[in-house]
Amino acid sequence: MKLSEIKNKLKALDTIAFQLPNGDLVPSHFHVTEVGKVTKNFIDCGGTIRHEEVVNFQLWEANDYDHRLHPEKLLNIIELSENALSIGDLDIEVEYQGDTIGKYNLDFDGTNFLLVSTKTDCLAKDNCGIPKEKPRIKLSDVQKVNSCIPGTGCC
């Protein structure tokens, strides 16, 4: 999700809820402790120099059960961050504490913001020697016409 998308969705909401990939909701007393721009400059395993920028939201929960972040407050935090940090309409990543800090993409189902699991990947598969995965076939799908019959000398 892009920053412009969350801003538009927040304008239409009365409450904010974030849903984890397992279906659980982040406790409603969460805080957004950071909104920032993360810049990553790196070289992939194939030697290509890469540059990525994302907007990062950090969700945190404390023992402050009376606290509820309202959509207009989060919208104000986002707009302040955009101006102070020169943030453009970038993709959003969300950090949330599980067993360790998890990084998620963000989606929306019409009611809740969905934390979507991310995975690592090789960005240079064509350049670093990773073989392409062979297609899997069922032995039952192999036609018997091309199979070797005992006694024909083909085996």
Side-chain angles (χ1 to χ4, degrees):
M1 173 180 294
K2 297 270 188 197
L3 195 58
S4 60
E5 293 175 82
I6 194 170
K7 288 170 57 178
N8 287 333
K9 293 178 186 334
L10 287 170
K11 291 174 185 173
L13 293 176
D14 294 325
T15 60
I16 306 171
F18 287 91
Q19 185 174 340
L20 294 161
N22 68 4
D24 291 346
L25 292 176
V26 171
S28 59
H29 57 277
F30 73 91
H31 296 249
V32 174
T33 59
E34 296 177 10
V35 174
K37 178 169 62 172
V38 176
T39 302
K40 182 178 175 182
N41 295 306
F42 60 101
I43 297 175
D44 67 26
C45 61
T48 301
I49 296 173
R50 298 184 183 265
H51 175 83
E52 293 180 358
E53 284 188 340
V54 295
V55 176
N56 178 275
F57 290 6
Q58 186 180 77
L59 304 182
W60 180 70
E61 58 183 277
N63 295 329
D64 178 10
Y65 298 103
D66 296 325
H67 180 268
R68 300 291 184 269
L69 181 64
H70 296 282
E72 63 277 1
K73 176 69 174 173
L74 180 53
L75 190 55
N76 289 337
I77 295 168
I78 292 169
E79 290 172 351
L80 176 63
S81 300
E82 283 178 300
N83 294 329
L85 302 173
S86 299
I87 297 175
D89 192 23
L90 301 172
D91 287 322
I92 299 169
E93 75 175 11
V94 178
E95 292 179 351
Y96 181 67
Q97 184 74 43
D99 293 332
T100 187
I101 298 172
K103 282 188 178 183
Y104 301 91
N105 289 325
L106 192 61
D107 203 353
F108 188 69
D109 69 1
T111 304
N112 298 325
F113 289 101
L114 306 176
L115 301 182
V116 180
S117 296
T118 59
K119 296 182 184 232
T120 60
D121 194 9
C122 176
L123 300 176
K125 290 182 185 90
D126 59 336
N127 205 13
C128 71
I130 302 292
K132 290 186 179 181
E133 189 172 325
K134 294 179 182 177
R136 297 178 185 260
I137 60 169
K138 292 181 184 178
L139 290 177
S140 61
D141 292 342
V142 177
Q143 294 182 1
K144 293 187 179 193
V145 175
N146 294 331
S147 62
C148 185
I149 300 171
T152 62
C154 67
C155 298

